[in-house]
């Protein structure tokens, strides 16, 4: 009897996940299909042409993009073309089925969750490590409800109160991943101006900084501050989130947020550039212990209870 494919042995544990992870599973299915195609000696364009797809369609499938996973019919056609082993094909099709189960965030109104934001939340849920740099606000995963409300109201000043509350609820729900049994490692680098910029009120800021102090004490959360007096810091002009998935043949992904859209970078050369930038920023920032001391000092001196 032939030995089981290492690819299959790595995938089978994901069938037993208690929580749906559609973004992760779409990516896994896509990466495995790309690997099987390459093992079969077919270029992407050849394979697409053989099953009647456009190269762009097969590229999307292999990248795990889009709100929905590919259809079972499309995946079966590819597996048959590649001459995939029956057991391996079965595992991939079962993963595909689970990729169709909605994540908790996908139960929200799509107006609150455009496709690019849907993808970000799904990637954060799947990541084993998240690195982020913020120059204006506390990172979303570390925001208190009151601070999150102030951020939403500032960005959407004409939004009705019901929409604001739903957006705050969604943002707070996202942070629950830091409290789960196996949380990702979160490494957040903040410009000092984030601590000084008052959103809504000093009471809101006091609560937010106290929350940052508490979160920074967790073993899987690292917070560093880039002081204002650091000249020529390697700070990007926009927020950056770097996601790593670990041991799954998945590429690192960089998320760059814009006002009404976002960019996802997956090319290794591009993501490596941002990894190096974040490394430099971490070197230029206060170390975690000194950053925690600055948080406490700012909380005590600037936001002290009267």
């Amino acid at each position: 009897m032939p030995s089981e494919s290492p690819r299959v042995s790595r995938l089978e544990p994901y069938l037993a996940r208690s929580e749906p992870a559609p973004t992760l599973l779409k990516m896994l299915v896509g990466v495995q299909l790309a690997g099987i195609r390459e093992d079969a000696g077919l270029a992407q364009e050849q394979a697409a042409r053989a099953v009647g797809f456009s190269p762009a369609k097969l590229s999307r499938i292999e990248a795990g993009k889009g709100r929905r996973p590919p259809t079972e019919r499309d995946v079966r056609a590819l597996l048959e073309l590649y001459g995939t082993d029956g057991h391996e094909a079965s595992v991939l099709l079962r993963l595909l089925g689970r990729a169709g189960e909605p994540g908790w965030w996908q139960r929200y109104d799509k107006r609150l969750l455009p496709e690019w934001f849907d993808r970000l939340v799904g990637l954060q849920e799947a990541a084993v490590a998240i690195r982020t740099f913020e120059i204006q606000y506390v990172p979303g995963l570390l925001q208190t409800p009151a601070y999150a409300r102030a951020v939403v109201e500032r960005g959407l000043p004409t939004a009705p109160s019901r929409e604001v509350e739903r957006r705050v609820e969604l943002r707070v729900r996202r942070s629950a991943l830091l409290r789960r049994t196996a949380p990702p490692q979160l490494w957040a680098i903040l410009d000092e101006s984030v601590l000084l910029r008052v959103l809504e009120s000093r009471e809101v800021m006091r609560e937010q900084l106290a929350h940052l102090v508490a979160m920074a004490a967790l073993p899987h959360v690292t917070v560093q501050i880039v002081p204002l007096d650091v000249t020529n810091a390697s700070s990007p002009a926009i927020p950056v989130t770097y996601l790593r998935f670990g041991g799954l043949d998945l590429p690192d992904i960089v998320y760059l947020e814009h006002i009404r859209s976002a960019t996802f970078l997956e090319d290794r050369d591009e993501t490596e550039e941002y990894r190096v930038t974040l490394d430099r920023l971490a070197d230029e920032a206060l170390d975690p212990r000194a950053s925690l001391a600055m948080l406490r000092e700012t909380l005590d001196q600037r936001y002290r209870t009267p």
Side-chain angles (χ1 to χ4, degrees):
M1 180 176 178
S3 60
E4 185 176 81
S5 160
R7 190 156 43 211
V8 171
S9 63
R10 290 201 305 272
L11 294 178
E12 285 184 319
Y14 291 91
L15 293 172
R17 285 181 67 109
S18 57
E19 283 292 319
T23 306
L24 171 66
L25 298 185
K26 279 187 298 184
M27 291 170 65
L28 280 173
V29 168
V31 165
Q32 302 313 313
L33 284 172
I36 296 169
R37 170 180 58 74
E38 290 166 0
D39 290 347
L42 291 170
Q44 195 175 72
E45 188 172 346
Q46 287 177 294
R49 188 167 56 246
V51 292
F53 295 172
S54 68
K57 176 176 178 177
L58 183 53
S59 177
R60 283 196 304 273
I61 290 173
E62 293 185 351
K65 293 180 179 177
R67 279 191 186 271
R68 298 183 181 279
T71 66
E72 181 177 332
R73 178 180 178 179
D74 286 348
V75 173
R76 281 188 182 277
L78 292 168
L79 293 172
E80 289 172 8
L81 173 67
Y82 304 150
T84 311
D85 167 81
H87 179 52
E88 185 170 13
S90 170
V91 169
L92 270 174
L93 289 170
R94 285 158 64 201
L95 273 180
L96 178 67
R98 292 223 62 192
E101 299 173 13
W104 62 262
W105 62 95
Q106 293 173 323
R107 299 183 181 97
Y108 283 79
D109 189 323
K110 286 184 173 57
R111 288 175 298 178
L112 305 182
L113 205 70
E115 186 171 325
W116 56 269
F117 190 58
D118 175 296
R119 190 176 184 215
L120 170 66
V121 178
L123 290 172
Q124 287 182 328
E125 288 285 324
V128 298
I130 303 170
R131 299 178 68 181
T132 185
F133 167 70
E134 281 284 352
I135 198 167
Q136 186 167 14
Y137 299 125
V138 170
L141 294 177
L142 296 173
Q143 292 178 3
T144 63
Y147 185 93
R149 185 174 296 105
V151 172
V152 172
E153 288 176 343
R154 187 171 183 171
L156 299 168
T158 62
S161 59
R162 174 61 178 162
E163 179 182 338
V164 170
E165 291 309 314
R166 289 291 281 168
R167 288 181 182 276
V168 171
E169 178 188 320
L170 173 59
R171 190 166 297 208
V172 171
R173 178 74 188 272
R174 285 169 57 203
S175 67
L177 68 86
L178 296 176
R179 299 189 295 275
R180 68 190 186 195
T181 304
Q185 292 289 324
L186 175 65
W187 183 358
I189 303 175
L190 284 67
D191 190 86
E192 186 185 357
S193 61
V194 172
L195 313 182
L196 306 179
R197 182 176 295 108
V198 177
L199 265 67
E200 187 65 25
S201 68
R202 291 185 178 276
E203 290 72 23
V204 167
M205 294 302 298
R206 181 165 58 246
E207 179 188 42
Q208 178 60 74
L209 264 64
H211 181 65
L212 272 179
V213 168
M215 295 301 291
L218 298 176
H220 58 283
V221 177
T222 300
V223 175
Q224 287 186 262
I225 310 296
V226 181
L228 292 174
D229 60 6
V230 172
T231 58
N232 301 319
S234 308
S235 304
I238 59 174
V240 175
T241 298
Y242 189 103
L243 301 127
R244 175 159 284 176
F245 304 93
L248 298 170
D249 302 325
L250 298 175
D252 295 347
I253 294 178
V254 170
Y255 167 81
L256 304 174
E257 188 168 310
H258 313 300
I259 294 176
R260 290 283 182 178
S261 64
T263 301
F264 293 87
L265 305 177
E266 298 177 43
D267 179 81
R268 189 179 298 274
D269 289 340
E270 290 182 310
T271 58
E272 178 67 8
E273 187 176 333
Y274 280 92
R275 186 194 65 76
V276 169
T277 297
L278 290 173
D279 284 347
R280 270 201 218 103
L281 261 177
D283 289 340
E284 294 163 352
L286 298 176
D287 65 35
R289 185 186 296 272
S291 295
L292 187 55
M294 175 177 275
L295 280 170
R296 288 176 171 145
E297 181 180 340
T298 305
L299 178 59
D300 182 57
Q301 294 184 1
R302 187 174 175 85
Y303 303 112
R304 185 187 315 174
T305 305

